[in-house]
Amino acid sequence: MVFTVAAGAVLALVILDLFIVRPIAGDLFIFTLNSLAAALLWRQAQERSRA
């Protein structure tokens, strides 16, 4: 759950960066890492709940 919220927050930061014309490369990297972590953890949680 934490990584899902973090990915959403970083996505909001990326959108804000686009409006204030700031480089978004670092924010996109963090967003990708958080999204991958969230997806993997959600998948593991679903597998454990099925077992």
Side-chain angles (χ1 to χ4, degrees):
M1 183 72 171
V2 171
F3 286 102
T4 305
V5 173
V10 173
L11 182 60
L13 187 58
V14 168
I15 292 169
L16 178 66
D17 287 346
L18 288 173
F19 282 113
I20 62 173
V21 191
R22 210 179 80 154
I24 61 171
D27 294 333
L28 284 176
F29 178 70
I30 297 300
F31 172 73
T32 302
L33 290 179
N34 283 332
S35 298
L36 288 174
L40 289 173
L41 291 173
W42 278 109
R43 185 175 176 192
Q44 286 180 350
Q46 287 178 346
E47 289 175 1
R48 275 186 261 146
S49 67
R50 289 183 193 153

PDB file of all heavy atoms in Angstrom, residues 22-50:
ATOM      1  N   ARG A  22      10.211  22.241 -14.981  1.00  0.00           N
ATOM      2  CA  ARG A  22      11.370  21.725 -14.264  1.00  0.00           C
ATOM      3  C   ARG A  22      11.709  20.361 -14.837  1.00  0.00           C
ATOM      4  O   ARG A  22      10.814  19.646 -15.275  1.00  0.00           O
ATOM      5  CB  ARG A  22      11.006  21.578 -12.778  1.00  0.00           C
ATOM      6  CG  ARG A  22      12.168  21.745 -11.847  1.00  0.00           C
ATOM      7  CD  ARG A  22      11.704  21.609 -10.450  1.00  0.00           C
ATOM      8  NE  ARG A  22      11.569  20.170 -10.163  1.00  0.00           N
ATOM      9  CZ  ARG A  22      11.659  19.638  -8.969  1.00  0.00           C
ATOM     10  NH1 ARG A  22      11.824  20.412  -7.933  1.00  0.00           N
ATOM     11  NH2 ARG A  22      11.538  18.342  -8.797  1.00  0.00           N
ATOM     12  N   PRO A  23      12.959  19.954 -14.863  1.00  0.00           N
ATOM     13  CA  PRO A  23      13.306  18.628 -15.387  1.00  0.00           C
ATOM     14  C   PRO A  23      12.600  17.518 -14.602  1.00  0.00           C
ATOM     15  O   PRO A  23      12.552  17.555 -13.379  1.00  0.00           O
ATOM     16  CB  PRO A  23      14.819  18.527 -15.190  1.00  0.00           C
ATOM     17  CG  PRO A  23      15.288  19.912 -14.948  1.00  0.00           C
ATOM     18  CD  PRO A  23      14.138  20.693 -14.423  1.00  0.00           C
ATOM     19  N   ILE A  24      12.069  16.539 -15.340  1.00  0.00           N
ATOM     20  CA  ILE A  24      11.289  15.491 -14.681  1.00  0.00           C
ATOM     21  C   ILE A  24      11.982  14.131 -14.693  1.00  0.00           C
ATOM     22  O   ILE A  24      11.413  13.144 -14.233  1.00  0.00           O
ATOM     23  CB  ILE A  24       9.898  15.360 -15.321  1.00  0.00           C
ATOM     24  CG1 ILE A  24       9.997  14.973 -16.796  1.00  0.00           C
ATOM     25  CG2 ILE A  24       9.084  16.605 -15.141  1.00  0.00           C
ATOM     26  CD1 ILE A  24       8.691  14.619 -17.436  1.00  0.00           C
ATOM     27  N   ALA A  25      13.188  14.065 -15.190  1.00  0.00           N
ATOM     28  CA  ALA A  25      13.865  12.769 -15.334  1.00  0.00           C
ATOM     29  C   ALA A  25      14.011  12.043 -13.996  1.00  0.00           C
ATOM     30  O   ALA A  25      13.705  10.852 -13.897  1.00  0.00           O
ATOM     31  CB  ALA A  25      15.240  12.969 -15.972  1.00  0.00           C
ATOM     32  N   GLY A  26      14.452  12.709 -12.979  1.00  0.00           N
ATOM     33  CA  GLY A  26      14.616  12.073 -11.670  1.00  0.00           C
ATOM     34  C   GLY A  26      13.283  11.623 -11.087  1.00  0.00           C
ATOM     35  O   GLY A  26      13.177  10.540 -10.510  1.00  0.00           O
ATOM     36  N   ASP A  27      12.260  12.460 -11.233  1.00  0.00           N
ATOM     37  CA  ASP A  27      10.931  12.109 -10.721  1.00  0.00           C
ATOM     38  C   ASP A  27      10.346  10.922 -11.477  1.00  0.00           C
ATOM     39  O   ASP A  27       9.693  10.064 -10.876  1.00  0.00           O
ATOM     40  CB  ASP A  27       9.989  13.299 -10.805  1.00  0.00           C
ATOM     41  CG  ASP A  27      10.399  14.431  -9.883  1.00  0.00           C
ATOM     42  OD1 ASP A  27      11.048  14.155  -8.856  1.00  0.00           O
ATOM     43  OD2 ASP A  27      10.064  15.591 -10.175  1.00  0.00           O
ATOM     44  N   LEU A  28      10.584  10.852 -12.777  1.00  0.00           N
ATOM     45  CA  LEU A  28      10.093   9.716 -13.546  1.00  0.00           C
ATOM     46  C   LEU A  28      10.799   8.425 -13.129  1.00  0.00           C
ATOM     47  O   LEU A  28      10.176   7.356 -13.072  1.00  0.00           O
ATOM     48  CB  LEU A  28      10.282   9.952 -15.048  1.00  0.00           C
ATOM     49  CG  LEU A  28       9.306  10.914 -15.700  1.00  0.00           C
ATOM     50  CD1 LEU A  28       9.681  11.116 -17.168  1.00  0.00           C
ATOM     51  CD2 LEU A  28       7.892  10.419 -15.581  1.00  0.00           C
ATOM     52  N   PHE A  29      12.063   8.526 -12.813  1.00  0.00           N
ATOM     53  CA  PHE A  29      12.812   7.360 -12.344  1.00  0.00           C
ATOM     54  C   PHE A  29      12.237   6.847 -11.021  1.00  0.00           C
ATOM     55  O   PHE A  29      11.980   5.641 -10.860  1.00  0.00           O
ATOM     56  CB  PHE A  29      14.293   7.726 -12.189  1.00  0.00           C
ATOM     57  CG  PHE A  29      15.136   6.608 -11.657  1.00  0.00           C
ATOM     58  CD1 PHE A  29      15.402   5.494 -12.438  1.00  0.00           C
ATOM     59  CD2 PHE A  29      15.663   6.666 -10.379  1.00  0.00           C
ATOM     60  CE1 PHE A  29      16.189   4.456 -11.963  1.00  0.00           C
ATOM     61  CE2 PHE A  29      16.439   5.634  -9.888  1.00  0.00           C
ATOM     62  CZ  PHE A  29      16.706   4.528 -10.682  1.00  0.00           C
ATOM     63  N   ILE A  30      12.002   7.742 -10.090  1.00  0.00           N
ATOM     64  CA  ILE A  30      11.430   7.364  -8.795  1.00  0.00           C
ATOM     65  C   ILE A  30      10.019   6.812  -8.985  1.00  0.00           C
ATOM     66  O   ILE A  30       9.623   5.837  -8.345  1.00  0.00           O
ATOM     67  CB  ILE A  30      11.432   8.559  -7.824  1.00  0.00           C
ATOM     68  CG1 ILE A  30      12.863   9.008  -7.550  1.00  0.00           C
ATOM     69  CG2 ILE A  30      10.701   8.235  -6.541  1.00  0.00           C
ATOM     70  CD1 ILE A  30      13.744   7.962  -6.924  1.00  0.00           C
ATOM     71  N   PHE A  31       9.236   7.417  -9.882  1.00  0.00           N
ATOM     72  CA  PHE A  31       7.887   6.923 -10.166  1.00  0.00           C
ATOM     73  C   PHE A  31       7.942   5.497 -10.702  1.00  0.00           C
ATOM     74  O   PHE A  31       7.159   4.640 -10.290  1.00  0.00           O
ATOM     75  CB  PHE A  31       7.196   7.852 -11.178  1.00  0.00           C
ATOM     76  CG  PHE A  31       5.884   7.314 -11.675  1.00  0.00           C
ATOM     77  CD1 PHE A  31       4.776   7.308 -10.854  1.00  0.00           C
ATOM     78  CD2 PHE A  31       5.773   6.807 -12.955  1.00  0.00           C
ATOM     79  CE1 PHE A  31       3.566   6.799 -11.306  1.00  0.00           C
ATOM     80  CE2 PHE A  31       4.572   6.304 -13.413  1.00  0.00           C
ATOM     81  CZ  PHE A  31       3.454   6.302 -12.589  1.00  0.00           C
ATOM     82  N   THR A  32       8.879   5.227 -11.588  1.00  0.00           N
ATOM     83  CA  THR A  32       9.012   3.882 -12.148  1.00  0.00           C
ATOM     84  C   THR A  32       9.378   2.873 -11.066  1.00  0.00           C
ATOM     85  O   THR A  32       8.780   1.791 -10.995  1.00  0.00           O
ATOM     86  CB  THR A  32      10.087   3.882 -13.259  1.00  0.00           C
ATOM     87  OG1 THR A  32       9.713   4.832 -14.260  1.00  0.00           O
ATOM     88  CG2 THR A  32      10.220   2.513 -13.881  1.00  0.00           C
ATOM     89  N   LEU A  33      10.318   3.223 -10.212  1.00  0.00           N
ATOM     90  CA  LEU A  33      10.710   2.319  -9.130  1.00  0.00           C
ATOM     91  C   LEU A  33       9.549   2.046  -8.174  1.00  0.00           C
ATOM     92  O   LEU A  33       9.295   0.903  -7.789  1.00  0.00           O
ATOM     93  CB  LEU A  33      11.897   2.890  -8.357  1.00  0.00           C
ATOM     94  CG  LEU A  33      13.235   2.920  -9.083  1.00  0.00           C
ATOM     95  CD1 LEU A  33      14.297   3.552  -8.179  1.00  0.00           C
ATOM     96  CD2 LEU A  33      13.654   1.530  -9.496  1.00  0.00           C
ATOM     97  N   ASN A  34       8.828   3.096  -7.791  1.00  0.00           N
ATOM     98  CA  ASN A  34       7.699   2.921  -6.880  1.00  0.00           C
ATOM     99  C   ASN A  34       6.590   2.098  -7.525  1.00  0.00           C
ATOM    100  O   ASN A  34       5.972   1.264  -6.860  1.00  0.00           O
ATOM    101  CB  ASN A  34       7.139   4.274  -6.450  1.00  0.00           C
ATOM    102  CG  ASN A  34       8.001   4.950  -5.413  1.00  0.00           C
ATOM    103  OD1 ASN A  34       8.685   4.290  -4.650  1.00  0.00           O
ATOM    104  ND2 ASN A  34       7.979   6.257  -5.387  1.00  0.00           N
ATOM    105  N   SER A  35       6.340   2.319  -8.791  1.00  0.00           N
ATOM    106  CA  SER A  35       5.292   1.572  -9.486  1.00  0.00           C
ATOM    107  C   SER A  35       5.644   0.093  -9.591  1.00  0.00           C
ATOM    108  O   SER A  35       4.789  -0.777  -9.379  1.00  0.00           O
ATOM    109  CB  SER A  35       5.064   2.143 -10.888  1.00  0.00           C
ATOM    110  OG  SER A  35       4.623   3.472 -10.801  1.00  0.00           O
ATOM    111  N   LEU A  36       6.893  -0.195  -9.913  1.00  0.00           N
ATOM    112  CA  LEU A  36       7.331  -1.590  -9.983  1.00  0.00           C
ATOM    113  C   LEU A  36       7.243  -2.276  -8.626  1.00  0.00           C
ATOM    114  O   LEU A  36       6.774  -3.420  -8.519  1.00  0.00           O
ATOM    115  CB  LEU A  36       8.755  -1.674 -10.521  1.00  0.00           C
ATOM    116  CG  LEU A  36       8.931  -1.375 -12.006  1.00  0.00           C
ATOM    117  CD1 LEU A  36      10.419  -1.341 -12.359  1.00  0.00           C
ATOM    118  CD2 LEU A  36       8.214  -2.410 -12.842  1.00  0.00           C
ATOM    119  N   ALA A  37       7.679  -1.589  -7.599  1.00  0.00           N
ATOM    120  CA  ALA A  37       7.604  -2.161  -6.254  1.00  0.00           C
ATOM    121  C   ALA A  37       6.153  -2.405  -5.850  1.00  0.00           C
ATOM    122  O   ALA A  37       5.824  -3.462  -5.289  1.00  0.00           O
ATOM    123  CB  ALA A  37       8.292  -1.240  -5.247  1.00  0.00           C
ATOM    124  N   ALA A  38       5.284  -1.452  -6.140  1.00  0.00           N
ATOM    125  CA  ALA A  38       3.874  -1.616  -5.796  1.00  0.00           C
ATOM    126  C   ALA A  38       3.261  -2.788  -6.544  1.00  0.00           C
ATOM    127  O   ALA A  38       2.534  -3.597  -5.962  1.00  0.00           O
ATOM    128  CB  ALA A  38       3.106  -0.327  -6.107  1.00  0.00           C
ATOM    129  N   ALA A  39       3.554  -2.909  -7.823  1.00  0.00           N
ATOM    130  CA  ALA A  39       2.994  -4.003  -8.621  1.00  0.00           C
ATOM    131  C   ALA A  39       3.469  -5.360  -8.103  1.00  0.00           C
ATOM    132  O   ALA A  39       2.675  -6.296  -7.969  1.00  0.00           O
ATOM    133  CB  ALA A  39       3.377  -3.830 -10.089  1.00  0.00           C
ATOM    134  N   LEU A  40       4.753  -5.465  -7.792  1.00  0.00           N
ATOM    135  CA  LEU A  40       5.284  -6.730  -7.280  1.00  0.00           C
ATOM    136  C   LEU A  40       4.690  -7.088  -5.921  1.00  0.00           C
ATOM    137  O   LEU A  40       4.327  -8.243  -5.673  1.00  0.00           O
ATOM    138  CB  LEU A  40       6.808  -6.663  -7.178  1.00  0.00           C
ATOM    139  CG  LEU A  40       7.560  -6.656  -8.504  1.00  0.00           C
ATOM    140  CD1 LEU A  40       9.047  -6.425  -8.267  1.00  0.00           C
ATOM    141  CD2 LEU A  40       7.340  -7.957  -9.241  1.00  0.00           C
ATOM    142  N   LEU A  41       4.559  -6.106  -5.049  1.00  0.00           N
ATOM    143  CA  LEU A  41       4.013  -6.383  -3.726  1.00  0.00           C
ATOM    144  C   LEU A  41       2.527  -6.719  -3.777  1.00  0.00           C
ATOM    145  O   LEU A  41       2.053  -7.585  -3.036  1.00  0.00           O
ATOM    146  CB  LEU A  41       4.278  -5.201  -2.789  1.00  0.00           C
ATOM    147  CG  LEU A  41       5.747  -5.014  -2.433  1.00  0.00           C
ATOM    148  CD1 LEU A  41       5.959  -3.731  -1.652  1.00  0.00           C
ATOM    149  CD2 LEU A  41       6.263  -6.203  -1.645  1.00  0.00           C
ATOM    150  N   TRP A  42       1.763  -6.055  -4.655  1.00  0.00           N
ATOM    151  CA  TRP A  42       0.347  -6.389  -4.812  1.00  0.00           C
ATOM    152  C   TRP A  42       0.206  -7.804  -5.354  1.00  0.00           C
ATOM    153  O   TRP A  42      -0.663  -8.573  -4.927  1.00  0.00           O
ATOM    154  CB  TRP A  42      -0.364  -5.415  -5.744  1.00  0.00           C
ATOM    155  CG  TRP A  42      -0.781  -4.140  -5.075  1.00  0.00           C
ATOM    156  CD1 TRP A  42      -0.248  -2.902  -5.267  1.00  0.00           C
ATOM    157  CD2 TRP A  42      -1.814  -3.968  -4.100  1.00  0.00           C
ATOM    158  NE1 TRP A  42      -0.872  -1.988  -4.471  1.00  0.00           N
ATOM    159  CE2 TRP A  42      -1.846  -2.616  -3.750  1.00  0.00           C
ATOM    160  CE3 TRP A  42      -2.705  -4.852  -3.493  1.00  0.00           C
ATOM    161  CZ2 TRP A  42      -2.745  -2.114  -2.809  1.00  0.00           C
ATOM    162  CZ3 TRP A  42      -3.599  -4.342  -2.550  1.00  0.00           C
ATOM    163  CH2 TRP A  42      -3.612  -2.991  -2.224  1.00  0.00           C
ATOM    164  N   ARG A  43       1.067  -8.163  -6.279  1.00  0.00           N
ATOM    165  CA  ARG A  43       1.011  -9.516  -6.860  1.00  0.00           C
ATOM    166  C   ARG A  43       1.315 -10.574  -5.799  1.00  0.00           C
ATOM    167  O   ARG A  43       0.640 -11.607  -5.721  1.00  0.00           O
ATOM    168  CB  ARG A  43       1.999  -9.605  -8.010  1.00  0.00           C
ATOM    169  CG  ARG A  43       1.947 -10.910  -8.750  1.00  0.00           C
ATOM    170  CD  ARG A  43       2.864 -10.864  -9.932  1.00  0.00           C
ATOM    171  NE  ARG A  43       2.888 -12.160 -10.585  1.00  0.00           N
ATOM    172  CZ  ARG A  43       3.736 -12.518 -11.482  1.00  0.00           C
ATOM    173  NH1 ARG A  43       4.670 -11.655 -11.869  1.00  0.00           N
ATOM    174  NH2 ARG A  43       3.705 -13.706 -12.032  1.00  0.00           N
ATOM    175  N   GLN A  44       2.325 -10.317  -4.986  1.00  0.00           N
ATOM    176  CA  GLN A  44       2.661 -11.251  -3.914  1.00  0.00           C
ATOM    177  C   GLN A  44       1.523 -11.377  -2.913  1.00  0.00           C
ATOM    178  O   GLN A  44       1.224 -12.469  -2.424  1.00  0.00           O
ATOM    179  CB  GLN A  44       3.940 -10.822  -3.203  1.00  0.00           C
ATOM    180  CG  GLN A  44       5.188 -11.067  -3.989  1.00  0.00           C
ATOM    181  CD  GLN A  44       6.434 -10.612  -3.235  1.00  0.00           C
ATOM    182  OE1 GLN A  44       6.342  -9.949  -2.191  1.00  0.00           O
ATOM    183  NE2 GLN A  44       7.593 -10.942  -3.767  1.00  0.00           N
ATOM    184  N   ALA A  45       0.903 -10.273  -2.585  1.00  0.00           N
ATOM    185  CA  ALA A  45      -0.208 -10.296  -1.629  1.00  0.00           C
ATOM    186  C   ALA A  45      -1.382 -11.104  -2.196  1.00  0.00           C
ATOM    187  O   ALA A  45      -2.027 -11.855  -1.450  1.00  0.00           O
ATOM    188  CB  ALA A  45      -0.643  -8.880  -1.301  1.00  0.00           C
ATOM    189  N   GLN A  46      -1.668 -10.962  -3.477  1.00  0.00           N
ATOM    190  CA  GLN A  46      -2.742 -11.718  -4.088  1.00  0.00           C
ATOM    191  C   GLN A  46      -2.420 -13.219  -4.107  1.00  0.00           C
ATOM    192  O   GLN A  46      -3.297 -14.039  -3.862  1.00  0.00           O
ATOM    193  CB  GLN A  46      -3.001 -11.244  -5.512  1.00  0.00           C
ATOM    194  CG  GLN A  46      -3.691  -9.901  -5.561  1.00  0.00           C
ATOM    195  CD  GLN A  46      -3.901  -9.428  -6.994  1.00  0.00           C
ATOM    196  OE1 GLN A  46      -3.322  -9.962  -7.929  1.00  0.00           O
ATOM    197  NE2 GLN A  46      -4.722  -8.396  -7.149  1.00  0.00           N
ATOM    198  N   GLU A  47      -1.175 -13.564  -4.383  1.00  0.00           N
ATOM    199  CA  GLU A  47      -0.778 -14.971  -4.385  1.00  0.00           C
ATOM    200  C   GLU A  47      -0.895 -15.582  -2.996  1.00  0.00           C
ATOM    201  O   GLU A  47      -1.324 -16.725  -2.840  1.00  0.00           O
ATOM    202  CB  GLU A  47       0.645 -15.130  -4.924  1.00  0.00           C
ATOM    203  CG  GLU A  47       0.766 -14.883  -6.403  1.00  0.00           C
ATOM    204  CD  GLU A  47       2.197 -14.926  -6.914  1.00  0.00           C
ATOM    205  OE1 GLU A  47       3.132 -15.174  -6.096  1.00  0.00           O
ATOM    206  OE2 GLU A  47       2.394 -14.699  -8.115  1.00  0.00           O
ATOM    207  N   ARG A  48      -0.529 -14.824  -1.968  1.00  0.00           N
ATOM    208  CA  ARG A  48      -0.640 -15.329  -0.606  1.00  0.00           C
ATOM    209  C   ARG A  48      -2.092 -15.488  -0.171  1.00  0.00           C
ATOM    210  O   ARG A  48      -2.415 -16.402   0.562  1.00  0.00           O
ATOM    211  CB  ARG A  48       0.076 -14.395   0.376  1.00  0.00           C
ATOM    212  CG  ARG A  48       1.548 -14.698   0.465  1.00  0.00           C
ATOM    213  CD  ARG A  48       2.214 -13.884   1.536  1.00  0.00           C
ATOM    214  NE  ARG A  48       2.843 -12.759   0.837  1.00  0.00           N
ATOM    215  CZ  ARG A  48       2.969 -11.544   1.308  1.00  0.00           C
ATOM    216  NH1 ARG A  48       2.501 -11.238   2.495  1.00  0.00           N
ATOM    217  NH2 ARG A  48       3.550 -10.593   0.612  1.00  0.00           N
ATOM    218  N   SER A  49      -2.957 -14.604  -0.636  1.00  0.00           N
ATOM    219  CA  SER A  49      -4.365 -14.704  -0.251  1.00  0.00           C
ATOM    220  C   SER A  49      -5.055 -15.876  -0.945  1.00  0.00           C
ATOM    221  O   SER A  49      -6.022 -16.420  -0.420  1.00  0.00           O
ATOM    222  CB  SER A  49      -5.105 -13.405  -0.561  1.00  0.00           C
ATOM    223  OG  SER A  49      -5.190 -13.201  -1.959  1.00  0.00           O
ATOM    224  N   ARG A  50      -4.567 -16.296  -2.094  1.00  0.00           N
ATOM    225  CA  ARG A  50      -5.126 -17.445  -2.808  1.00  0.00           C
ATOM    226  C   ARG A  50      -4.704 -18.762  -2.160  1.00  0.00           C
ATOM    227  O   ARG A  50      -5.417 -19.747  -2.233  1.00  0.00           O
ATOM    228  CB  ARG A  50      -4.675 -17.454  -4.262  1.00  0.00           C
ATOM    229  CG  ARG A  50      -5.312 -16.372  -5.073  1.00  0.00           C
ATOM    230  CD  ARG A  50      -4.881 -16.468  -6.498  1.00  0.00           C
ATOM    231  NE  ARG A  50      -5.245 -15.262  -7.220  1.00  0.00           N
ATOM    232  CZ  ARG A  50      -4.615 -14.805  -8.269  1.00  0.00           C
ATOM    233  NH1 ARG A  50      -3.579 -15.458  -8.754  1.00  0.00           N
ATOM    234  NH2 ARG A  50      -5.018 -13.708  -8.864  1.00  0.00           N
TER     235      ARG A  50
END
